[in-house]
Amino acid sequence: MPGRIMVRAGEMGTVDFDGLRREVCLSYTPEARPGDYVIVHVGFAISLLDEAEAVRTLAVLRAIPGGLDEISR
């Protein structure tokens, strides 16, 4: 799931997933900064993502009924 880093505090950060914010471990993406998009899997940011690709991916997920339900769990 792509999300945008809002705040980084060491190895943890707040990531925004289309309006829903969650705490995420950023230890696997030490180069990530606030404003960057990351791919998050089970609470860990696993890679950086280009903003244009993140926007396209979120648009696809919004178009799928229930596509963003995973982030609300």
Side-chain angles (χ1 to χ4, degrees), residues 16-36:
D16 183 279
F17 299 97
D18 202 42
L20 181 68
R21 294 184 178 191
R22 297 277 190 217
E23 289 300 308
V24 170
C25 180
L26 301 169
S27 62
Y28 296 134
T29 54
E31 68 281 11
R33 301 286 175 256
D36 289 343

Side-chain angles (χ1 to χ4, degrees), residues 4-65:
R4 186 174 186 183
I5 300 172
M6 304 309 292
V7 177
R8 183 175 186 131
E11 292 192 357
M12 297 300 291
T14 302
V15 177
D16 183 279
F17 299 97
D18 202 42
L20 181 68
R21 294 184 178 191
R22 297 277 190 217
E23 289 300 308
V24 170
C25 180
L26 301 169
S27 62
Y28 296 134
T29 54
E31 68 281 11
R33 301 286 175 256
D36 289 343
Y37 283 86
V38 288
I39 294 291
V40 177
H41 180 66
V42 294
F44 290 85
I46 56 174
S47 67
L48 285 170
L49 184 63
D50 174 82
E51 182 176 3
E53 184 63 28
V55 169
R56 283 191 299 271
T57 301
L58 287 169
V60 169
L61 291 172
R62 279 187 214 102
I64 299 169

